[in-house]
Amino acid sequence: MAFDIEMIKGVYSRMAERVDAARKVVGKPLTLAEKILYNHLWDGETTTSFARGKDYVDFAPDRIACQDATAQMALLQFMQAGKKGVAVPTTVHCDHLIQAKIGADKDLQEAINTSSEVFNFLASVSDKYGIGFWKPGAGIIHQVVLENYAFPGGMMIGTDSHTVNAGGLGMVAIGVGGADAVDVMAGMPWELKFPKLIGVKLTGKLNGWTAAKDVILKVADILTVKGGTDSIVEYFGEGAISLSATGKGTICNMGAEIGATTSTFGYDDSIERYLRATNRDEVANEANKIRKYLTGDNEVYANPEQYFDQVIEINLDTLKPHLNGPFTPDLATPVGTEMTKKATENDWPLKVEWGLIGSCTNSSYEDLSRAASIAKQAVDKGLVAKAEFGINPGSEQVRYTAERDGLLQIFEDLDAKIFTNACGPCIGQWAREGAEDQPKNTIVHSFNRNFSKRADGNPNTHAFVGSPSMVAAVAISGRLDFNPMTDTLINQEGEEVMLEEPTGFELPPKGFDVKDPGFVAPIEDGSGIEITVNPDSKRLQLLTPFLPIKGNITGAKLLIKTFGKCTTDHISMAGPWLRFRGHLDNISNNMLIGAVNAFGKATNKIKNQLTGEFGVVPDTARAYKAANISSIVVGEHNYGEGSSREHAAMEPRHLGVIAVIVKSFARIHETNLKKQGMLGLTFANENDYDLIQEDDTFNFIDLTGFTYGKPLTLEIVHSDNSKDIIKLNHTYNEGQIEWFKEGSALNLIKKGNAS
């Protein structure tokens, strides 16, 4: 069954006319990304050729998806917007609040027992406002979206950075903060800086041990974690066409790790096959009617250097399997001797403790089948896995089908734990035994991120990212430097054996099947539903609007000057803190506790300028707030990289931080700061970062003249009363400055609805 087919038909019915008009205005052939963007302009048919990386543009996305951890805050905000229902198709997916510990059934029941208050709240709000609800255990949001909602040529936003996974079916799908989603839910335009375009030409065809995952591991190596910022990555060429739809999804998914706005592929036969296999013949039939509009123009792909801002070419025939890590997803190492050399030089533990397969990145039927082919060989050849195994199927449909076809039994024959159809260890929802002792160790997984503490809370866990089949092989060997293409293993009989190349199925040979996919449609009229939140709840808290930051702020104190990588995991950890995602005050107790203080290089230990004593970051921020003193956070490059979680912006705002000043921002986090009425600023001279001292006080000299395109001036007063005056750049346009003046974007929405 195809969800929202009339909406999809509407998108397709206008596409030819709008794209043809855009081609005339732009005056040249168009990429796929441009076609989708110009077809989704809020104002309809374009009369303007937008400047990439410069012009802010209003768009009209087709749909929204929210996962349970971020949906809480998004829906708490939407409840203040004064709307009777959502303006576009919206879904909520319960996949983050389920901890992997014992196994699927028991872990799922434990999650329902401990988080029923949150699940019931999300279900009730979904009913009230006409939102589709996917129950706990139904699957990981992005796999479920790929199976049910993604469609070629569409545009969607989601309150999770890996919303980009839907690019595997030819969408422009973009991760956002909850406040952005609220705009679209409320029937307002969604604003985005018109992206730059990076073209990735894929030639040849994957072979042997190389998988789709290795494409994005290589791209991450080339572009680094910030090389895709403010850009859409568009894959094309014979190699792109040869990939499966779920393989395309894997590549797009991990594009979030290079900072890309999103990634996408043109509509082709593999996407059509996937649509039909997932009971969406009607979508495929409609897409076929406008097929040439659902991919880039021929001239673009023939001469990509003329149409993209940057072009990368990768030959799949010669691409090698990679393992990326540890601690950052762009540190790429080809499997084999290079890994041995690098691991030895850097003292990375060579013994592998765990192999984890799943997450929204690699949990499709194809992924499980390829990994299972390696596991089956191990069983048949008398091998015993040297590392422990954990498997997270991507959806109940994938799990049910994989169980029917015997794939899960193969993993169980290797003593693997089959966890719930949920995110699990990928987001820190993993009760890993012994992690609290913080031993130095190595794990391998098919996830997308491997930041410090990400999977198990242990800063000494060295996590490496690879394809599911490579993760399986390395876990079976128990060695990080194992090369299945050349190395042998000793089985239980003392014999030397080798693993053969993985095999798998693009789609289930017997088709997909499922008894209960886990979807609950909203009731027809939810207007009579009353949403109540217990004021004594530790999990949920109704929001109080933020007050505007007014005047030229003076006497602000330095809260923390962060050193090195500072992701949203460092600013607002996941794992055990996920239970507080609906309670702003409680979750603010994790604010910046993972960030490294530039003074002393410790985490969660900063100086309180009021007392001269050292304490934890949240308590120090609360002390400043109680004294009516504003505070400031300072950081380095790509600040806020990683998850889209807007808690990383709302927590500082709640605890009195008025400005975050850094060398550069990750896109989503910068927008989240703006939405919450804060100042997200960058050093005009990034070396001014070095001027900031531990006891500094800050005065904004010209904040009352805050305008588009004009830098702000900051006076830094040091403890010896010496001063430095520096310039700070910003990317606020006039509309975003209004968010700041009103205290938040949500305040502006409420003001508009009240007038």
Side-chain angles (χ1 to χ4, degrees):
M1 180 189 78
F3 286 93
D4 309 306
I5 188 62
E6 294 306 316
M7 176 269 286
I8 295 171
K9 288 179 178 178
V11 173
Y12 288 168
S13 68
R14 67 175 189 250
M15 191 159 193
E17 183 178 1
R18 289 193 180 184
V19 169
D20 289 345
R23 198 183 284 112
K24 289 179 182 178
V25 171
V26 174
K28 60 181 181 180
L30 299 178
T31 65
L32 169 63
E34 288 173 308
K35 291 180 181 181
I36 298 174
L37 293 171
Y38 278 109
N39 189 37
H40 286 83
L41 297 178
W42 179 260
D43 293 327
E45 193 172 297
T46 189
T47 58
T48 304
S49 176
F50 296 107
R52 300 175 189 169
K54 294 181 180 179
D55 290 342
Y56 281 95
V57 182
D58 286 340
F59 291 99
D62 303 313
R63 68 174 313 111
I64 300 167
C66 309
Q67 40 94 337
D68 49 357
T70 54
Q72 295 171 68
M73 198 58 69
L75 295 180
L76 285 165
Q77 292 178 86
F78 181 70
M79 287 166 60
Q80 296 188 43
K83 296 292 185 179
K84 293 183 179 180
V86 292
V88 303
T90 302
T91 52
V92 167
H93 304 257
C94 297
D95 63 353
H96 273 55
L97 299 178
I98 305 169
Q99 188 180 54
K101 184 178 182 179
I102 299 170
D105 292 341
K106 291 183 179 179
D107 292 346
L108 177 58
Q109 187 58 54
E110 178 65 17
I112 292 171
N113 293 343
T114 58
S115 296
S116 59
E117 179 186 14
V118 173
F119 294 144
N120 290 338
F121 167 77
L122 294 175
S124 296
V125 176
S126 295
D127 260 343
K128 183 174 181 64
Y129 295 109
I131 297 169
F133 182 73
W134 290 80
K135 297 183 296 185
I140 304 172
I141 176 173
H142 309 304
Q143 180 64 30
V144 173
V145 166
L146 201 71
E147 293 175 7
N148 295 277
Y149 299 114
F151 66 97
M155 175 186 247
M156 70 174 288
I157 60 172
T159 59
D160 188 284
S161 56
H162 294 106
T163 301
V164 295
N165 188 78
L169 287 196
M171 291 194 89
V172 163
I174 301 174
V176 299
D180 274 4
V182 169
D183 284 353
V184 181
M185 289 181 195
M188 298 175 62
W190 174 64
E191 182 185 69
L192 176 72
K193 186 185 292 182
F194 204 84
K196 294 177 285 186
L197 300 174
I198 298 174
V200 179
K201 181 179 182 180
L202 301 180
T203 61
K205 190 174 183 179
L206 293 174
N207 61 87
W209 283 88
T210 309
K213 186 62 162 269
D214 296 300
V215 176
I216 187 58
L217 295 179
K218 183 61 179 178
V219 171
D221 177 42
I222 296 168
L223 289 177
T224 76
V225 291
K226 61 179 181 177
T229 303
D230 291 330
S231 300
I232 291 179
V233 181
E234 185 169 324
Y235 292 84
F236 64 95
E238 61 177 347
I241 293 171
S242 71
L243 297 170
S244 69
T246 52
K248 291 176 170 72
T250 291
I251 293 168
C252 292
N253 183 301
M254 203 172 158
E257 282 26 276
I258 58 171
T261 301
T262 192
S263 304
T264 195
F265 285 79
Y267 180 55
D268 59 22
D269 290 348
S270 69
I271 295 177
E272 180 180 354
R273 287 194 297 272
Y274 189 77
L275 287 171
R276 297 193 186 281
T278 50
N279 297 315
R280 289 177 285 173
D281 285 326
E282 198 167 1
V283 177
N285 293 340
E286 293 297 322
N288 285 341
K289 294 176 184 178
I290 58 164
R291 198 176 183 105
K292 69 177 182 179
Y293 288 94
L294 298 176
T295 189
D297 288 336
N298 291 335
E299 298 94 326
V300 170
Y301 296 158
N303 301 288
E305 290 79 7
Q306 298 178 26
Y307 302 99
F308 291 99
D309 299 292
Q310 181 180 355
V311 177
I312 297 168
E313 185 168 337
I314 297 174
N315 185 348
L316 302 185
D317 287 337
T318 58
L319 181 65
K320 296 179 180 179
H322 282 69
L323 289 171
N324 283 26
F327 307 127
T328 184
D330 60 346
L331 180 57
T333 305
V335 168
T337 55
E338 209 167 320
M339 175 59 79
T340 306
K341 180 175 182 292
K342 194 179 290 188
T344 303
E345 290 173 349
N346 291 281
D347 195 27
W348 298 338
L350 288 174
K351 181 184 177 183
V352 174
E353 306 281 353
W354 270 88
L356 297 157
I357 295 169
S359 90
C360 62
T361 324
N362 280 112
S363 55
S364 67
Y365 185 92
E366 179 183 32
D367 292 324
L368 294 184
S369 70
R370 284 178 62 85
S373 76
I374 303 303
K376 183 69 163 60
Q377 288 184 55
V379 173
D380 292 345
K381 294 174 186 286
L383 293 168
V384 176
K386 298 295 179 60
E388 294 189 75
F389 253 124
I391 311 293
N392 283 86
S395 69
E396 176 57 14
Q397 178 169 264
V398 165
R399 188 211 65 79
Y400 187 92
T401 307
E403 182 177 54
R404 178 201 68 189
D405 295 346
L407 301 184
L408 298 188
Q409 184 60 53
I410 294 171
F411 291 118
E412 290 174 334
D413 289 343
L414 273 183
D415 294 326
K417 286 185 178 179
I418 309 299
F419 294 127
T420 315
N421 315 319
C423 301
C426 180
I427 58 163
Q429 282 285 54
W430 183 23
R432 184 183 179 189
E433 187 176 350
E436 66 278 3
D437 298 330
Q438 300 189 356
K440 186 175 181 179
N441 74 104
T442 287
I443 65 174
V444 292
H445 60 58
S446 68
F447 309 159
N448 37 49
R449 293 194 177 128
N450 57 350
F451 304 140
S452 176
K453 302 183 182 181
R454 171 81 180 182
D456 61 5
N458 178 4
N460 299 314
T461 292
H462 293 55
F464 294 83
V465 182
S467 70
S469 48
M470 187 55 65
V471 168
V474 171
I476 289 165
S477 74
R479 296 280 300 182
L480 182 64
D481 57 351
F482 176 67
N483 182 352
M485 294 170 283
T486 59
D487 297 347
T488 59
L489 296 170
I490 306 298
N491 69 8
Q492 292 175 290
E493 303 299 322
E495 302 165 333
E496 283 194 21
V497 297
M498 284 191 72
L499 296 174
E500 298 163 18
E501 295 174 355
T503 59
F505 300 98
E506 176 187 358
L507 297 163
K510 299 177 185 177
F512 283 110
D513 196 7
V514 64
K515 281 188 177 179
D516 177 11
F519 175 71
V520 180
I523 62 176
E524 192 168 328
D525 180 7
S527 59
I529 295 176
E530 294 294 327
I531 306 298
T532 59
V533 172
N534 186 338
D536 296 325
S537 172
K538 303 299 183 185
R539 300 290 298 270
L540 296 167
Q541 180 187 48
L542 295 176
L543 295 176
T544 300
F546 291 130
L547 296 176
I549 299 167
K550 294 184 176 180
N552 283 323
I553 299 295
T554 59
K557 300 295 185 183
L558 176 70
L559 180 64
I560 184 173
K561 177 181 176 180
T562 67
F563 174 79
K565 185 187 286 285
C566 191
T567 72
T568 50
D569 278 85
H570 295 89
I571 304 167
S572 175
M573 288 184 179
W577 290 93
L578 284 171
R579 66 187 184 276
F580 297 128
R581 284 283 181 87
H583 197 296
L584 181 56
D585 193 55
N586 281 346
I587 198 167
S588 292
N589 289 323
N590 79 357
M591 185 189 75
L592 286 157
I593 63 175
V596 177
N597 185 1
F599 305 106
K601 304 301 187 296
T603 58
N604 205 24
K605 183 180 180 181
I606 59 171
K607 187 174 184 179
N608 181 331
Q609 294 189 46
L610 301 180
T611 65
E613 298 176 351
F614 286 84
V616 299
V617 181
D619 289 355
T620 306
R622 290 183 189 276
Y624 290 149
K625 182 180 179 181
N628 292 316
I629 295 172
S630 300
S631 57
I632 285 174
V633 172
V634 173
E636 298 202 63
H637 278 298
N638 211 30
Y639 183 90
E641 119 185 38
S643 170
S644 69
R645 65 191 67 152
E646 65 183 338
H647 298 76
M650 295 185 78
E651 292 173 32
R653 182 75 161 98
H654 177 63
L655 295 187
V657 176
I658 55 130
V660 178
I661 305 169
V662 299
K663 295 179 181 179
S664 65
F665 283 107
R667 174 190 63 85
I668 300 176
H669 187 64
E670 182 182 22
T671 301
N672 286 344
L673 292 172
K674 292 178 179 180
K675 286 279 185 177
Q676 300 305 331
M678 295 176 67
L679 292 170
L681 308 169
T682 55
F683 293 104
N685 176 2
E686 67 179 51
N687 292 328
D688 288 344
Y689 168 89
D690 299 324
L691 297 176
I692 308 299
Q693 300 301 310
E694 193 169 28
D695 295 307
D696 282 349
T697 300
F698 304 94
N699 302 314
F700 282 91
I701 294 173
D702 52 6
L703 188 56
T704 55
F706 188 22
T707 56
Y708 169 71
K710 181 182 177 182
L712 292 172
T713 307
L714 182 69
E715 180 183 65
I716 309 169
V717 182
H718 305 297
S719 58
D720 61 0
N721 290 321
S722 63
K723 299 178 181 178
D724 285 295
I725 294 179
I726 65 173
K727 290 292 184 181
L728 301 173
N729 292 333
H730 67 84
T731 61
Y732 289 74
N733 58 31
E734 295 300 339
Q736 294 167 345
I737 290 173
E738 289 302 309
W739 301 342
F740 176 77
K741 290 179 178 178
E742 291 295 332
S744 70
L746 181 58
N747 287 352
L748 194 62
I749 292 175
K750 291 172 64 178
K751 184 178 180 180
N753 287 336
S755 61

